[in-house]
Amino acid sequence: MAVVELGAAPRLGPLYRSAALTAVRRKAVGGRGAATLPDTEVRVREVAVDRAHLAAYDRVCGFRLTDELPATYPHILAFPLAVSLMARPDFPLALVGLVHVANRIEVHRPLTADDRFELRVRAEDLREHERGRQVDLVAEALVDGEIVWTGRSVYLRRESKPGGSGGGDRRSGDRTPAPDGGALWRVTPRVGSEYADVSGDQNPIHTSRLGARVLGFPTPIAHGMWSKARCLAALEGRLPERYTVDVSFKLPVPLPSTVAFSATRAGTDGWRFGLHGAKSGKPHLSGEVIHRP
């Protein structure tokens, strides 16, 4: 595997512009894109945590202000590396239009703002899907050569197929009413803009009504990783030191809206949790926390 060593995390703005140009060129020539993934891993060493940035992230996601890193925070640090990989001309799926459908995080030990990370990102398992193709972006955070955190994000590229269609955002699931007894959260448009600022993901689908309409949504929608982080913040203080947290993103959370969070115990120090529309009961996210011995 070829290793691309970067001196620092890349800036997302130029990457998105490059990806948009690549998408235009591909559309002009037609075709489905490559059938294989680049055999490349992107790395950056000595990544320090900016405590002001961590505090801003904690605030928008609902975590307490501490030096302990939320399980979802290293995803923010590794995200520019993932984008740099997906923006490459030899990446088979166009970055523009990729849908984040699932995310798994493994916390191997508690992480703090004093840790200095080596970050590694690679792509794995390009595969067919009934609505197109999926790929996994795998990120690892290491401290002193030891893997302390792993994230696996599943992305879907909708593509038309013979006898079917890849159009439309048909992420769905169980539409039963949300369980009683959970918490109600009012999710305002500020969530979209403030999370975009701390994550660097300035996709207009999250921050602009016009941008959302161009992309097929009547209003902006919350970032999926904000939804995951907000759910974990609701369980803060009740999570084990080492765990896996797995989520599937269902229907997008419109901005603004009111959502219902629910969680139940599962096994030893584990949880099952979900996020639903408060009135409709439509699912936005389902997840599970599994204790790692």
Side-chain angles (χ1 to χ4, degrees):
M1 175 175 287
V3 174
V4 176
E5 189 93 32
L6 303 178
R11 293 170 52 218
L12 287 172
L15 289 175
Y16 283 133
R17 288 192 289 272
S18 174
L21 290 173
T22 298
V24 170
R25 294 190 191 103
R26 286 183 179 178
K27 188 173 182 180
V29 300
R32 197 173 179 228
T36 59
L37 293 168
D39 189 25
T40 303
E41 183 173 80
V42 183
R43 297 181 184 178
V44 63
R45 301 178 187 272
E46 291 297 311
V47 177
V49 174
D50 181 322
R51 282 177 165 82
H53 180 264
L54 173 61
Y57 177 86
D58 286 343
R59 289 188 184 97
V60 70
C61 296
F63 292 103
R64 293 174 296 195
L65 300 184
T66 73
D67 271 2
E68 185 172 342
L69 303 188
T72 46
Y73 186 75
H75 175 87
I76 298 296
L77 300 180
F79 185 65
L81 278 69
V83 174
S84 73
L85 189 56
M86 292 187 286
R88 290 167 56 103
D90 59 348
F91 195 78
L93 308 180
L95 174 61
V96 178
L98 280 182
V99 180
H100 194 182
V101 296
N103 177 267
R104 169 177 288 183
I105 287 172
E106 299 175 33
V107 179
H108 302 281
R109 70 155 171 83
L111 308 176
T112 76
D114 291 324
D115 285 318
R116 298 182 76 87
F117 301 105
E118 176 184 346
L119 301 176
R120 302 177 178 179
V121 176
R122 64 185 180 275
E124 293 182 350
D125 194 16
L126 179 65
R127 57 200 182 272
E128 295 293 327
H129 185 273
E130 62 181 0
R131 293 187 304 239
R133 287 187 290 176
Q134 284 187 335
V135 66
D136 295 354
L137 269 291
V138 180
E140 295 172 335
L142 297 84
V143 175
D144 296 328
E146 175 191 1
I147 297 174
V148 295
W149 178 95
T150 305
R152 181 178 292 267
S153 293
V154 182
Y155 291 95
L156 168 68
R157 175 69 186 182
R158 295 188 296 271
E159 297 173 334
S160 298
K161 295 187 176 184
S165 172
D169 186 355
R170 300 191 185 109
R171 285 179 293 172
S172 60
D174 179 11
R175 298 196 178 206
T176 57
D180 294 330
L184 296 180
W185 301 332
R186 183 63 178 169
V187 189
T188 70
R190 289 183 60 184
V191 164
S193 58
E194 291 179 1
Y195 188 84
D197 288 340
V198 298
S199 68
D201 184 359
Q202 294 284 350
N203 188 329
I205 199 172
H206 303 300
T207 59
S208 163
R209 183 177 292 272
L210 177 60
R213 285 179 176 173
V214 168
L215 294 168
F217 294 90
T219 68
I221 60 175
H223 296 73
M225 288 302 293
W226 174 85
S227 299
K228 179 173 184 174
R230 184 65 185 88
C231 290
L232 288 181
L235 297 172
E236 197 170 19
R238 294 177 286 175
L239 297 170
E241 286 191 342
R242 295 176 295 277
Y243 61 94
T244 296
V245 54
D246 213 346
V247 302
S248 295
F249 301 116
K250 307 293 185 179
L251 299 172
V253 176
L255 299 175
S257 64
T258 300
V259 296
F261 169 78
S262 60
T264 57
R265 285 283 187 181
T268 304
D269 292 332
W271 293 91
R272 291 190 180 92
F273 59 92
L275 202 62
H276 294 75
K279 291 184 178 181
S280 67
K282 293 180 179 179
H284 297 304
L285 174 153
S286 65
E288 184 176 22
V289 172
I290 302 170
H291 175 232
R292 295 175 58 87

